[in-house]
Amino acid sequence: MQIFRYFKPEWRALLLIILLLAAQAVGELTLPGITSSLVNVGVQQDGIEDALADRLSAESMEKILAIADESGRGAILAAYDLQDGIYVLKSGLSAQAAEAARAALTPPMAALTAMGMAAERGMPQGMPGGMPGSVPLSQLLERAAEALPEGADLGAFLRQAAVQFVRAEYGRLGVDVAGIRNGYLWTQGLYMLGLTLASGLAALAATFLSGRLGARVGRSLRGRVFARVLGFSRAEMDRFSTASLITRSTNDINQVQTMSVMLMRMMLYAPIVALGGVWRVTQVRTGLGWLVAVTVALMVTLVVITASVVTPKFKLLQKLTDRMNLVARENLTGVQVVRAFSREAHETARYARANEDLTQTNRFINYAFAYVMPLMMLIINGVVLAIIWFGAHQVASARMQVGDMIAFISYTMQIAFSFLMIAMAGSVMLPRAEVAAQRVNEVLDTEPTVTDPKASVPLPASRGEGIRFTNVSFRYPGSQEDVLRGLDLVIPDGKVTAVIGATGSGKSSLLNLLPRFFDVTGGSITLDGVDIRSLSLNDLRAQFGYVPQQATLFSGTLDSNLRYAAGDIPEEDAMRAARVAQAEKFILEREEGLQAPVAQGGDNLSGGQKQRLSIARAVAARPRFLLFDDSFSALDYRTDLLVRQALRSELAGTGAVIVAQRIATVMRADQIVVLEDGELRGVGTHDELFAKNAVYRQIAMSQLSEEELAGMGGRVHE
């Protein structure tokens, strides 16, 4: 499963959590056994655990030894000392010697108890009377077994009968049986309390560590996804919509983080308890193990059916969430357009359709889960009733003790609730988290098409001819046609090169190839004779100051946006860049100056102000080339002229590539590149192209009158 790959860096914490969960499970699985002992020994046997009595009278010992076999007599006598006519259990007796004495005492004591009961009932036929030893012990035990109900556990009967003998013996000797009972109950009760406390502490530590682990997994994923997205080229950004990337980096990662915590607390703990419960059940001889098998089979079947139904819906749910976010994002960013064309009702209906589809899917999933819990509880309660029904018959026929039935019910409930936790996590949260993990992994596993070379080449120490396009072709990923074809071009260093052409001619595509937002699909682009694909992305992009067509600003201040590419430059350098971009005036008009706040996306600034700040940001970095992607379109003609004049005077020696639609913007460039349908139609100055290039002349004549173009041989005065 995809989600488990995120835990590899956290294997130490994961191992510690598993150990803590195992400790918690051991504690909780031990409690039903103690409860069984409290009932069987503490209540039914007055705290007397077995036949190994602390004290025996000489008369009782004589009867026991008369019935016991030769080896048994030796084991019994080795365990006791005779003191004032009372046999007292030796202190410091080894476990092996104690077990041997216990095994030797149990059958004779049980036989003597049976003889006493027979005597009280008037010597039933077949039950021998007389002095102990007149009938062999084996025969006495056979007669006792015949008197038991069919299927009764002879071993349990012998142990119970031996305990009755010890209890009666304590009564004759004046031993405080109530004190023994109370002492046993207090000891076992305190033991249960200690186990519960230890189990609770283990659970608390596991929960704490699980929360920290889940938070670290979420933090790591968010960082990795963000870093990977920042490394995407335009091709990968086009593959994943912005709305989908936002959903994947927030909602999907939150699902994975939540499931990580639940996985630690439920998906790991529940199997440990379930397996431990099954093992404990096998140790309790009740003959009801088939009920556990039925319970497990029903639970597994319900989990599998539920998961198979809802998992496809979870996949659909995430896609519908993407779709709703996409519609919402489009309308929030384009709200002015919606209002301008009075399309509120249409967009509301479009959002309502996306919302309704998401609601219907959520409703189906909730309906499916609405049946899971009642069915689970029905199975659990039905199993408990079955255990009580069959267990009561077992107790009545002496095949089970009451404490064993209580322990069996507890173990079965632990097993059932473990599968209930597995069902809820496995059929509710895990499928959704798995879908979310797959979507996150799609981002993480997507390798950017534009990457650093394995062995980058440094730029030459001395500048060369600048940028050269050699037979360059380019097509967008998934497209069937080239946007640029057979392009041969030189962009000189320190000169202004303008690119002009009709819409769709490939102007912006040419510009995007320079900082490797895309890679060429044919030919090569070199900088000072070095293929730009051989340069590291940092070295390459440090040569360019990019000004996009749509100005993008970041929340912060005017100063932080100006220094975004330049780093910690002096304030006078920042203001110089603002002066070149004609942004100094509106900055100084602000009361806070450079510290004036900038809202997200620069929404508190006008289009022209944002564009001028965008230009100033690129200028402040003092790059080798400035790249303007139709960046003067938001400026009026006067500001456009002032910016271009300032660039020439203040940044002499800095090259520039200007993509523009307006002839007035490009006509003073050192060279103008004319594109049409992705092919190079001409390169030259304004005068040369206006005189000889029909495509350029047509563009120029469509924007300026003949009188305006007539001055200075076709130049417009600046």
Side-chain angles (χ1 to χ4, degrees), residues 156-236:
F157 167 76
L158 294 177
R159 291 189 294 272
Q160 288 287 320
V163 167
Q164 291 183 34
F165 180 89
V166 174
R167 181 164 47 192
E169 181 69 7
Y170 282 170
R172 288 192 295 271
L173 295 174
V175 176
D176 184 9
V177 176
I180 294 175
R181 180 184 63 244
N182 292 337
Y184 182 85
L185 292 175
W186 273 104
T187 301
Q188 294 297 308
L190 291 174
Y191 183 34
M192 289 184 69
L193 182 62
L195 272 178
T196 303
L197 180 61
S199 180
L201 290 175
L204 182 64
T207 301
F208 175 76
L209 291 176
S210 298
R212 287 177 60 87
L213 188 149
R216 286 199 300 269
V217 168
R219 179 186 64 188
S220 173
L221 279 179
R222 284 189 291 271
R224 290 170 59 194
V225 168
F226 186 75
R228 178 52 58 96
V229 171
L230 285 184
F232 281 169
S233 69
R234 292 274 180 89
E236 288 77 50

Side-chain angles (χ1 to χ4, degrees), residues 492-508:
D493 196 19
K495 302 294 184 180
V496 176
T497 298
V499 183
I500 197 168
T503 301
S505 60
K507 304 185 299 297
S508 294

Side-chain angles (χ1 to χ4, degrees), residues 498-507 630 637 658-667 672-683 686 689-706 708-709 714 716:
V499 183
I500 197 168
T503 301
S505 60
K507 304 185 299 297
D630 202 9
Y637 280 97
I658 302 174
V659 169
Q661 300 283 353
R662 299 194 302 221
I663 287 292
T665 301
V666 305
M667 59 191 309
I672 301 172
V673 177
V674 182
L675 294 179
E676 185 180 40
D677 294 331
E679 296 182 353
L680 185 63
R681 296 302 187 187
V683 178
H686 168 73
L689 292 172
F690 188 79
K692 301 179 181 179
N693 190 282
V695 175
Y696 183 80
R697 176 185 289 274
Q698 183 179 4
I699 296 172
M701 294 294 292
S702 67
Q703 296 184 24
L704 299 174
S705 65
E706 292 186 11
E708 291 173 317
L709 291 169
V716 177

Side-chain angles (χ1 to χ4, degrees), residues 294-306 376 379 419 423:
V294 170
T295 304
V296 171
L298 291 174
M299 292 285 192
V300 170
T301 301
L302 187 58
V303 170
V304 171
I305 292 174
T306 305
M376 288 283 186
I379 293 171
F419 275 94

Side-chain angles (χ1 to χ4, degrees), residues 25 79 177 218 327 367 396 429 456 516 575:
V177 176
V327 174
Y367 283 162
M429 301 193 68
S456 60
R516 290 189 67 198
M575 289 304 297

